Amino acid sequence: MARLRVGPLLRYVDWESASSATVWVEADRPCTVEVRCADGASGSSPTFAVVGHHYALVVVTGLTPGTTTAYEVLLGGRRVWPPEDSRFPASTITTPSPAAARSGNARSTPGNSPEEGPGTGPEPVRIAFGSCRWAAPPAGEHDPAGPDALDTLAVRLATDPDAVRPDVLLLLGDQVYADETSPATRRRLAARRELSEPPGAEVADYEEYTFLYDESWRDPEVRWLLSTVPSCMIFDDHDVIDDWNTSAAWLADIRATPWWNERIVSGLMSYWVYQHLGNLSPAALDADPLYAAVRAEPDGTERLRGFAAAVAAEPSLARWSYQRVFGRVRLLMMDTRAARVLDEQQRSMLTAEEERWMREEALAGPGSYDHLLIGTSLPWLLPPLIHEGETWNAALCRGERGGPGGRWARFGEKLRRASDLEHWAAFPGSFRRLTELLREAGSGPDAPATVCVLSGDVHHAYIAEPEWPTSAPGGAPVARILQLTCSPVHNLIPRPIRAGFRFGWSRLGRRLGRVLARHGRTGTPPVQWRKTGGPWFGNQLMTLTLHGRKAALTLVQARGKSSDAQLETVLDRDLTMNE
């Protein structure tokens, strides 16, 4: 008798047809997984096997546009979800209205949106986002990080029928921490191997990665939340290891360790199974040869392992970035970890092919969207001192002072690793190209109302807004362009680090940054920017509400004891009004 191990996770809801969705599950043995909806929609799929675990991504078809319908999951014909003793409401699938589904092909103007009155669209699109989540400890245990924002959101949605649900949840990296395991996970690791041997209390292989997802996604509140709110995900460093792909020297050093190959191969394998597949549309799944091959074999382990090993050696063989469309909102979710070019003289956040893809997708179909969202785990705009420090460090490492491999370059590499200097600013050419792309996307008569870069990673939240010089080639954009950063969902940030981020935004911090820029001969950034909100510290989530050409931002924080925490609104701002 098959049992449900992890899930269900509602992943992809189709905003074009408004009639299909995907639901991901892990079972404890081979079986056929069925999803049955109250409105008659359904789907089924046999499980596929990887390293002794059994998974299915069920495509549900026949959904009614503009409705919310409850669903149940059956394994081998027996209902396993919702549990008989569940204290949560039924898991549901919500589809956009027919007008919202069609609106992606209609043109909005600043005064009117398709099929509706002035300043409105068919219906608002609500996109919640954040990053960096330690798994919450079991109920009753002390939580050093404080209340979990996802747990607290789940409780609000489950207990308040009138609470507004996000249309999608963007998880911008560090969904699991392979290098910072909990006491419960360390006990499971110790039962398998000697933790005095590398990699110690970090995960070593695929089986140990499954422990992380067990702990994170079987949390009762998060389990229900992810079963009823669609999600989009992208990895960051801790999904594999802290500062993953920070530099060529870092990569050479870690490849020389005896445990790294299994770690990176298992990390990519588990990411593909647990996170990446659910990002894809049913059509993309049908066209994916690896997905077809893994499903076609009784045990897809070796096929998936071969793929992951090849990608670990040559990252350009895979694309983890993807696009989603929510009516007249376009989301580009970017891989800023695996796709890096690390040669010091040609450092780039993305490969040339990945950059080309991002550019084409961002600029395609002028006038076909009202809001462009760029999801990148790492912020584009940082506190100015930190930005200049990373750009200065990159200059030292490539030999701007003393030549490649010289004393300054060696110092720069040590500092880069010790201080996590590996955001967009640490890839100066990529920073400039992204800045120019955002300017282009936000320019011209068909420009969207907003272009927002959504990020996490840095364990605090803030809003930053660029200002283009009047002499900028091509002119300043007409769209409002914003950096929206929200982190963590559930983690800590020491007080000295908090003070450092605050100082990074200060006038004195800016002056110190200019000193570093002169020493590194880095020149002037293509834009200046200012902080227009924050910094905020705590376990938190941001939500964008996009309605026609209007945009609003809400920031909530989980406060109180974990057992009775509440979400408190810290910010509620109209983004389409001038500051």
Side-chain angles (χ1 to χ4, degrees):
M1 184 169 60
R3 292 182 171 82
L4 189 63
R5 285 200 71 236
V6 182
L9 277 75
L10 175 60
R11 294 301 314 272
Y12 188 102
V13 173
D14 191 345
W15 275 65
E16 293 185 19
S17 70
S19 62
S20 65
T22 63
V23 176
W24 181 98
V25 302
E26 180 182 351
D28 70 346
R29 65 193 65 192
C31 62
T32 296
V33 181
E34 297 177 77
V35 176
R36 296 179 183 172
C37 299
D39 69 352
S42 63
S44 67
S45 176
T47 56
F48 61 90
V50 176
V51 194
H53 291 256
H54 306 279
Y55 309 95
L57 187 60
V58 179
V59 178
V60 180
T61 59
L63 293 163
T64 304
T67 63
T68 296
T69 183
Y71 73 90
E72 58 184 17
V73 177
L74 297 86
L75 301 183
R78 185 178 69 90
R79 194 186 86 164
V80 295
W81 186 269
E84 294 292 342
D85 59 350
S86 175
R87 56 188 170 87
F88 294 97
S91 298
T92 58
I93 301 174
T94 298
T95 53
S97 69
R102 291 195 301 270
S103 69
N105 298 317
R107 167 66 178 151
S108 280
T109 66
N112 293 277
S113 295
E115 307 183 21
E116 295 292 332
T120 66
E123 59 188 40
V125 179
R126 298 180 178 89
I127 298 176
F129 63 96
S131 76
C132 306
R133 180 178 180 266
W134 280 346
E141 291 190 13
H142 173 66
D143 190 343
D148 184 326
L150 284 190
D151 275 353
T152 312
L153 174 63
V155 171
R156 171 188 279 187
L157 297 182
T159 58
D160 182 359
D162 296 324
V164 177
R165 294 188 180 186
D167 293 295
V168 65
L169 177 63
L170 308 187
L171 299 176
L172 294 168
D174 297 345
Q175 278 69 262
V176 294
Y177 279 71
D179 54 346
E180 296 180 21
T181 55
S182 69
T185 295
R186 289 196 291 273
R187 287 191 292 270
R188 296 185 72 180
L189 300 182
R192 297 185 78 228
R193 57 181 174 83
E194 179 54 61
L195 298 189
S196 62
E197 298 294 329
E202 302 181 14
V203 302
D205 58 22
Y206 188 94
E207 181 65 21
E208 293 179 5
Y209 263 102
T210 70
F211 298 171
L212 302 181
Y213 288 101
D214 284 355
E215 182 179 43
S216 187
W217 289 359
R218 292 174 73 176
D219 171 320
E221 286 76 18
V222 167
R223 189 175 198 173
W224 176 80
L225 179 70
L226 294 180
S227 77
T228 203
V229 176
S231 53
C232 298
M233 306 182 189
I234 197 70
F235 46 41
D236 198 19
D237 55 342
H238 290 285
D239 291 273
V240 177
I241 192 171
D242 188 25
D243 298 339
W244 177 28
N245 281 344
T246 193
S247 68
W250 177 93
L251 185 59
D253 287 347
I254 203 161
R255 281 177 170 173
T257 64
W259 53 271
W260 172 248
N261 186 67
E262 185 59 35
R263 168 74 151 274
I264 183 61
V265 169
S266 295
L268 294 174
M269 291 173 68
S270 61
Y271 176 77
W272 186 86
V273 170
Y274 285 86
Q275 299 191 48
H276 176 69
L277 286 178
N279 294 328
L280 305 181
S281 68
L285 290 168
D286 285 343
D288 189 323
L290 177 62
Y291 183 56
V294 169
R295 296 179 72 207
E297 298 182 6
D299 184 346
T301 301
E302 291 310 310
R303 184 64 67 104
L304 182 56
R305 176 175 289 275
F307 162 81
V311 172
E314 179 45 69
S316 64
L317 294 176
R319 172 174 294 141
W320 305 108
S321 302
Y322 58 95
Q323 183 210 69
R324 290 293 310 272
V325 175
F326 306 99
R328 292 188 54 79
V329 178
R330 180 178 299 177
L331 167 69
L332 302 182
M333 194 76 98
M334 301 306 303
D335 161 26
T336 54
R337 282 292 172 186
R340 295 177 173 187
V341 176
L342 298 178
D343 184 301
E344 288 296 347
Q345 304 307 315
Q346 304 177 56
R347 271 174 71 85
S348 179
M349 186 67 86
L350 308 172
T351 64
E353 178 59 30
E354 196 88 356
E355 271 197 19
R356 187 159 43 248
W357 178 86
M358 179 174 68
R359 181 176 179 80
E360 289 173 355
E361 294 295 333
L363 300 179
S368 64
Y369 55 91
D370 291 326
H371 304 276
L372 174 63
L373 310 179
I374 306 292
T376 161
S377 61
L378 303 174
W380 162 54
L381 299 180
L382 291 164
L385 172 58
I386 299 174
H387 174 93
E388 296 289 11
E390 294 200 5
T391 305
W392 164 74
N393 177 262
L396 298 186
C397 291
R398 70 173 177 265
E400 188 65 34
R401 289 281 184 178
R407 178 172 60 88
W408 277 108
R410 295 193 300 273
F411 167 75
E413 178 64 25
K414 290 179 181 178
L415 183 62
R416 174 159 57 192
R417 297 194 202 184
S419 304
D420 296 351
L421 305 180
E422 36 101 42
H423 299 83
W424 282 91
F427 297 79
S430 296
F431 176 86
R432 289 178 177 274
R433 291 190 294 274
L434 176 60
T435 301
E436 174 58 18
L437 174 60
L438 298 177
R439 188 201 65 78
E440 285 188 57
S443 299
D446 293 322
T450 66
V451 178
C452 297
V453 179
L454 313 181
S455 306
D457 181 68
V458 292
H459 290 210
H460 68 296
Y462 61 89
I463 305 168
E465 188 161 1
E467 299 173 345
W468 269 262
T470 55
S471 60
V478 296
R480 190 167 189 189
I481 298 180
L482 296 162
Q483 169 71 65
L484 306 177
T485 303
C486 185
S487 169
V489 170
H490 183 235
N491 210 307
L492 294 170
I493 181 166
R495 291 189 180 278
I497 303 297
R498 297 187 187 200
F501 280 122
R502 293 184 188 279
F503 180 70
W505 288 108
S506 69
R507 289 184 179 181
L508 182 57
R510 287 178 182 270
R511 293 194 193 102
L512 180 56
R514 288 195 288 270
V515 171
L516 295 176
R518 287 194 293 272
H519 180 264
R521 302 165 181 159
T522 61
T524 303
V527 292
Q528 299 297 312
W529 57 95
R530 60 192 176 97
K531 174 175 60 66
T532 57
W536 297 284
F537 299 94
N539 293 330
Q540 51 204 347
L541 287 166
M542 280 182 171
T543 300
L544 271 172
T545 300
L546 306 168
H547 197 187
R549 292 182 65 84
K550 292 182 176 295
L553 180 71
T554 303
L555 173 69
V556 295
Q557 292 184 338
R559 294 179 177 174
K561 295 181 179 179
S562 295
S563 58
D564 59 355
Q566 301 290 322
L567 288 179
E568 295 187 10
T569 300
V570 176
L571 175 78
D572 192 352
R573 180 179 294 182
D574 186 343
L575 296 181
T576 47
M577 295 177 62
N578 291 329
E579 293 292 324

